[in-house]
Amino acid sequence: MSIFWRRGYSLQQQEKEQPELQSESKVNELKAALGPLFGRSLLYCTDACLKRYLEARNWNVEKARKMLEETLAWRSTYKPEEIRWHEVAAEGETGKLFRANFHDRVGRTVLIMKPGLQNTTSMDNQIRHLVYLMENAMLNLPEGQEEMAWLIDFTGWSFTTNVPVRTAKDTINILQDHYPQRLAVAFLYTPPRIFQAFWKIVKIFMDPKTFQKVKFVYPKNKESLELMRSYFDVDNLPIEFGGKATMKYDHEDFSRLMAQDDVKAAKFWGFDQKIGSATAGYAAGVAVDPEPVKPTSVVAN
């Protein structure tokens, strides 16, 4: 595509706009390569979505097309947008994985994981629970924000609570293949030495871009603490992660929040009528408004 610069444009202005125009051009190429889309695939494939897949494949349109088509095929069978909280709530009873009630410094949604609180043995259900919360986190991203942050607390972690390597591999593949460019950063807070052996294996399955986003943080390592605090306000950051906030997971409160979000998700994907009474019933009889207001925090600071 030829680009003709208007007179009076500075070199800085040209340099700033040229990548944006090239990005738009690539997105249009990918749209053409995908062909007509319908239904949920059309809802999913926004310009921002196409851009994420292009970024994941270094702006190679053909590779991005293949990756995106594989995701659309996966979504058509796995149906992540149809998972409802009452189906996976048992996985979340201990608070091993949940969406935080605070954001990082640039407004990104935060997922908190505590693998030491593992409470189930079904690997399929554990992955389904994670996928549900990924979809939920995406639903709650601020406008214009595509990424989220992860905080992982290793308190109580041991090989007995750890997931098998195969499950870790499957999980990494789902996140990398079907949620590209969704992770901004993942902080692993005080992982024990025995975790290193597990890490040496699972990091093999990570692509270089994902690997670079994983940060190890230790309380006695000033550099790693400063890096973490560059992402988070210490007043919001829970004590478990070196901050000043007191955090307590309340499963009933979180279930109410998820019941509201299930209504929001159903409305977005166009199947409001499918959520039925099961979701509302799980939340201990909580009334779920058709137009939910912004939920209150579920984790007390």
Side-chain angles (χ1 to χ4, degrees):
M1 181 178 67
S2 297
I3 301 173
F4 298 93
W5 300 107
R6 296 195 301 270
R7 288 185 179 181
Y9 259 35
S10 68
L11 181 59
Q12 280 186 328
Q13 288 172 314
Q14 294 178 27
E15 290 177 345
K16 180 181 179 181
E17 291 192 8
Q18 191 169 8
E20 293 175 357
L21 291 171
Q22 290 174 344
S23 170
E24 182 181 348
S25 174
K26 288 288 187 178
V27 167
N28 289 333
E29 283 185 50
L30 181 53
K31 282 182 182 179
L34 287 169
L37 296 171
F38 306 94
R40 298 181 195 176
S41 293
L42 182 60
L43 278 175
Y44 182 77
C45 293
T46 62
D47 284 5
C49 171
L50 269 56
K51 185 177 178 181
R52 287 188 295 102
Y53 280 79
L54 284 163
E55 288 177 346
R57 289 297 178 261
N58 297 315
W59 299 93
N60 183 301
V61 173
E62 180 57 27
K63 290 181 179 180
R65 179 197 61 78
K66 181 180 178 182
M67 184 185 191
L68 184 48
E69 287 181 344
E70 288 173 353
T71 290
L72 294 177
W74 174 77
R75 293 185 71 89
S76 70
T77 55
Y78 200 87
K79 300 185 185 302
E81 71 279 5
E82 290 191 15
I83 304 172
R84 291 293 169 260
W85 176 246
H86 70 275
E87 301 171 21
V88 296
E91 292 289 336
E93 288 180 351
T94 61
K96 66 185 179 186
L97 177 62
F98 60 96
R99 193 182 90 231
N101 70 329
F102 61 91
H103 296 81
D104 69 4
R105 290 187 183 276
V106 295
R108 287 181 286 234
T109 299
V110 178
L111 286 180
I112 292 179
M113 180 180 288
K114 299 190 173 189
L117 299 180
Q118 182 60 261
N119 61 323
T120 64
T121 57
S122 172
M123 303 308 166
D124 289 341
N125 287 343
Q126 289 170 14
I127 293 177
R128 192 169 171 81
H129 178 231
L130 171 62
V131 168
Y132 170 86
L133 285 168
M134 286 293 296
E135 295 284 319
N136 178 267
M138 288 157 47
L139 184 71
N140 284 280
L141 284 170
E143 186 176 354
Q145 183 57 260
E146 291 290 303
E147 297 179 316
M148 62 192 74
W150 282 39
L151 290 173
I152 305 174
D153 174 17
F154 281 86
T155 301
W157 183 90
S158 67
F159 277 120
T160 58
T161 59
N162 191 39
V163 299
V165 171
R166 181 178 178 181
T167 302
K169 178 183 177 181
D170 290 345
T171 302
I172 290 170
N173 287 341
I174 287 175
L175 295 177
Q176 290 183 161
D177 296 345
H178 305 312
Y179 296 95
Q181 302 302 113
R182 285 298 191 186
L183 178 66
V185 65
F187 285 105
L188 280 59
Y189 197 78
T190 62
R193 287 187 177 182
I194 57 173
F195 176 75
Q196 295 296 334
F198 178 75
W199 176 247
K200 286 180 180 179
I201 298 173
V202 299
K203 70 180 183 181
I204 297 171
F205 309 126
M206 293 184 176
D207 64 42
K209 289 185 177 181
T210 303
F211 180 77
Q212 291 173 5
K213 295 175 181 179
V214 178
K215 312 295 182 183
F216 286 72
V217 180
Y218 299 93
K220 294 182 180 180
N221 185 307
K222 184 178 178 180
E223 184 178 346
S224 65
L225 285 178
E226 288 179 351
L227 176 63
M228 190 168 187
R229 289 174 182 177
S230 70
Y231 280 83
F232 296 95
D233 185 332
V234 293
D235 290 331
N236 294 330
L237 196 62
I239 294 172
E240 300 94 303
F241 296 99
K244 298 180 180 179
T246 301
M247 180 180 69
K248 182 180 179 181
Y249 175 78
D250 187 309
H251 188 60
E252 289 187 5
D253 282 350
F254 194 70
S255 294
R256 292 186 183 96
L257 177 66
M258 294 300 99
Q260 289 182 327
D261 279 2
D262 282 353
V263 174
K264 191 193 306 182
K267 183 175 181 180
F268 175 82
W269 291 107
F271 48 90
D272 310 49
Q273 70 280 7
K274 288 188 177 182
I275 62 170
S277 59
T279 299
Y282 184 85
V286 176
V288 181
D289 299 327
E291 296 286 345
V293 296
K294 184 178 179 180
T296 56
S297 59
V298 296
V299 185
N301 280 341

